[in-house]
Amino acid sequence: MQDKTDIILIDDDTDLRRATRQTLELAGFAVEDHANAQSALGALSAATPAIVVTDIRMPGMDGLELFARIKTIDPDLPVILITGHGDITMAVQAMHDGAYDFIAKPFPADRLAQTVRRAVEKRRLVMENRFLRQAAEESRDDLPLIGQTPAMEHLRQMLRQIADTDVDVLVAGETGSGKEVVATLLHRWSRRKNGNFVALNCGALPETVIESELFGHEAGAFTGAQKKRVGRIEHASGGTLFLDEIESMPVATQVKMLRVLEMREVSPLGTNDVRPVDLRVVAAAKIDLGNPAERGDFREDLYYRLNVVTVSIPPLRERRADIPLLFSHFLARAAERFKREAPSLTSAVHQHLASHSWPGNVRELAHYAERVALGLAEPATPAAATGTIPSDGHASLPERMEQHEAELIRTALIENEGDVRRTIEALQIPRKTFYDKLQRHGINRADYE
Ligand SMILES: Nc1ncnc2c1ncn2[C@@H]1O[C@H](COP(=O)(O)OP(=O)(O)OP(=O)(O)O)[C@@H](O)[C@H]1O
Ligand SMILES: [Mg+2]
């Protein structure tokens, strides 16, 4: 159903349906019509902003049964019944049961338009109230997903839609863009919320540890496995398993994970047990796994298995209108935490907010707000504004260190032909740190292959 539809009209009689539709359209309403109740039901949900006008006598599901079904979907959705000869008693009963109104055939056009207008207005108020209540709840939440740009509204709406389904979700977004926030909300907004939210960072653990973490093991399954251990997958059963930095999952583990996702069962290491798990997997990736060039050794089949639904979080620079809102939220929070008055903002801060490219996204903005709250934010320089550092002799020590770091990373990438694993080994830093630094310095690894 289209968002702007006001009325869903159901009548099996083609001529009558066409005439009624025309009447309603002339009265200024957007109408979607259906020839039977089944098809209309398919277009309806509690999120439907429209009202329903339906004939009572129809083959298959009749208007009264349709009304009963709609009540279970959303009791506040106004249903107007069109009645023929002899249906009046039924229609009156339906009104007792909560139908909005009934109109007896044949009816004058303005009688229909009038009742429809009131019903549409009532629906609008109900939807608005729900929206406000929900917004109030969300801002009370200790984990808000702040943002009013269309991109964020869309994201929130999508999360609401999919949260309570069991589909596996791939969350894609740059560093600090809010992937973990999204994963947590998918859990909290689902009926799994009383189960465990189990997060595993696939990039932070060595290959040898990750499998026993995920699958668990029996005592003695391998050297060092003294005690039996329940794996994170089993621990997440009934709840949500969050696989962070899935792009860093070792290939051998990917194969086993694929099996878990397909079979919904897990075998702890060192056992022949097969245990069923009731799992919802949310995976997060910083790179575009759909792109073979970026995917590298990430298995395509696992990508497709995870990619039932992909939630893409746009980088902050593509939703700049949210920056002031986010910033004031973080500033207030920081001031409270540091027990200080939130400072009034200098033009340098305003300028930085408006011109910086925020490669570290929301996290970088939150850190900046903390520095501002502490009075430590440096005045915005042209360098800070563009995210690059001038290489003249006037750079400060921190700027020169940044520059030097970027240089060392570029050199390591050149020496290792852009190979991630080798470059990370050469630099001796965790994979996550490596990707964060690439982002921060605006280095594109693929350029070095
Ligand atoms: N829309 C938002 N509203 C409020 N806070 C947000 C929002 N997006 C992100 N944050 C905050 O920004 C910080 C970074 O978010 P998060 O940890 O979810 O990012 P991430 O995408 O998982 O980053 P990384 O890729 O580095 O793991 C967190 O403190 C989070 O609470
Ligand atoms: Mg994260």
Side-chain angles (χ1 to χ4, degrees):
M1 205 207 59
Q2 302 253 305
D3 264 4
K4 44 188 190 315
T5 304
D6 300 308
I7 300 158
I8 297 181
L9 170 68
I10 305 109
D11 197 328
D12 60 308
D13 182 322
T14 313
D15 292 338
L16 267 177
R17 191 171 69 242
R18 220 171 267 156
T20 311
R21 178 177 181 138
Q22 206 169 38
T23 304
L24 290 168
E25 283 176 345
L26 282 174
F29 298 107
V31 183
E32 173 183 310
D33 63 27
H34 294 264
N36 62 66
Q38 275 306 351
S39 125
L41 269 182
L44 279 169
S45 76
T48 302
I51 65 151
V52 168
V53 176
T54 180
D55 190 21
I56 290 192
R57 297 236 168 156
M58 294 186 289
M61 189 189 302
D62 69 14
L64 291 174
E65 192 184 340
L66 174 64
F67 164 56
R69 297 272 191 106
I70 291 175
K71 263 205 306 190
T72 67
I73 297 173
D74 183 351
D76 294 328
L77 200 155
V79 175
I80 297 170
L81 299 162
I82 300 179
T83 62
H85 245 20
D87 295 340
I88 305 289
T89 342
M90 275 196 287
V92 171
Q93 181 56 43
M95 296 267 302
H96 279 296
D97 294 342
Y100 185 77
D101 200 356
F102 73 92
I103 301 182
K105 281 190 271 198
F107 48 82
D110 55 348
R111 161 81 176 88
L112 178 66
Q114 220 174 39
T115 188
V116 160
R117 185 159 297 120
R118 275 187 283 119
V120 166
E121 177 59 14
K122 181 178 173 208
R123 183 64 176 160
R124 194 185 62 74
L125 288 175
V126 165
M127 296 310 271
E128 199 174 279
N129 269 330
R130 281 190 197 163
F131 175 79
L132 291 175
R133 214 178 315 131
Q134 192 178 311
E137 261 168 35
E138 271 162 29
S139 65
R140 256 202 315 276
D141 204 324
D142 60 339
L143 187 81
L145 184 68
I146 295 171
Q148 287 176 347
T149 46
M152 290 305 282
E153 293 289 359
H154 176 77
L155 180 71
R156 208 176 286 116
Q157 194 189 348
M158 176 163 185
L159 294 179
R160 288 257 172 228
Q161 263 167 15
I162 59 174
D164 212 15
T165 66
D166 276 343
V167 290
D168 296 334
V169 180
L170 183 61
V171 186
E174 290 182 4
T175 183
S177 60
K179 295 185 293 297
E180 186 149 358
V181 176
V182 162
T184 312
L185 290 178
L186 281 173
H187 177 71
R188 289 199 192 166
W189 291 349
S190 76
R191 77 201 100 168
R192 297 175 169 271
K193 61 175 178 276
N194 296 322
N196 295 321
F197 178 81
V198 179
L200 183 76
N201 188 325
C202 308
L205 294 173
E207 200 162 331
T208 42
V209 178
I210 196 165
E211 292 201 354
S212 78
E213 278 293 323
L214 273 173
F215 305 106
H217 59 75
E218 275 306 311
F222 50 84
T223 330
Q226 274 134 3
K227 273 198 266 170
K228 165 186 155 120
R229 180 184 171 89
V230 175
R232 304 257 185 127
I233 295 173
E234 246 181 288
H235 194 52
S237 191
T240 306
L241 178 67
F242 176 45
L243 298 175
D244 204 358
E245 300 195 26
I246 186 91
E247 70 270 24
S248 305
M249 183 179 270
V251 177
T253 317
Q254 289 175 31
V255 180
K256 294 190 182 163
M257 198 59 217
L258 183 64
R259 212 189 120 73
V260 172
L261 291 178
E262 272 165 1
M263 311 300 290
R264 302 280 149 178
E265 56 189 34
V266 63
S267 299
L269 308 182
T271 68
N272 294 320
D273 290 8
V274 178
R275 301 183 193 153
V277 281
D278 166 23
L279 217 54
R280 202 278 172 88
V281 176
V282 179
K286 281 199 188 64
I287 58 170
D288 178 8
L289 289 175
N291 178 350
E294 283 191 50
R295 182 158 65 223
D297 58 7
F298 194 84
R299 289 181 64 102
E300 196 178 2
D301 47 7
L302 181 56
Y303 164 67
Y304 283 115
R305 188 61 196 73
L306 286 169
N307 186 36
V308 182
V309 177
T310 292
V311 173
S312 294
I313 312 178
L316 192 54
R317 65 182 171 279
E318 286 173 18
R319 45 179 162 114
R320 299 200 71 102
D322 282 335
I323 292 175
L325 194 66
L326 281 161
F327 181 75
S328 50
H329 166 77
F330 292 130
L331 189 67
R333 206 182 59 177
E336 193 181 292
R337 175 139 45 95
F338 303 139
K339 304 205 171 13
R340 295 188 173 211
E341 288 278 303
S344 51
L345 302 183
T346 61
S347 62
V349 170
H350 280 298
Q351 207 213 318
H352 188 60
L353 289 176
S355 58
H356 187 54
S357 62
W358 305 105
N361 293 293
V362 183
R363 181 183 296 111
E364 184 185 0
L365 183 63
H367 288 166
Y368 179 66
E370 285 174 4
R371 291 205 304 278
V372 172
L374 290 171
L376 297 175
E378 327 82 301
T381 60
T386 57
T388 56
I389 291 150
S391 53
D392 62 21
H394 303 300
S396 68
L397 177 63
E399 283 169 345
R400 277 153 64 198
M401 284 167 65
E402 282 282 284
Q403 219 175 353
H404 191 54
E405 180 178 275
E407 216 38 61
L408 289 173
I409 294 173
R410 287 200 184 91
T411 311
L413 277 167
I414 293 168
E415 280 170 2
N416 295 290
E417 291 148 340
D419 183 283
V420 175
R421 205 170 294 247
R422 281 175 20 226
T423 309
I424 290 175
E425 275 169 21
L427 293 169
Q428 298 178 33
I429 53 174
R431 189 176 277 254
K432 179 171 157 52
T433 315
F434 173 69
Y435 279 112
D436 285 349
K437 288 187 190 298
L438 290 190
Q439 280 279 351
R440 187 146 52 82
H441 297 302
I443 299 173
N444 183 10
R445 186 196 54 81
D447 292 346
Y448 296 82
E449 279 172 352

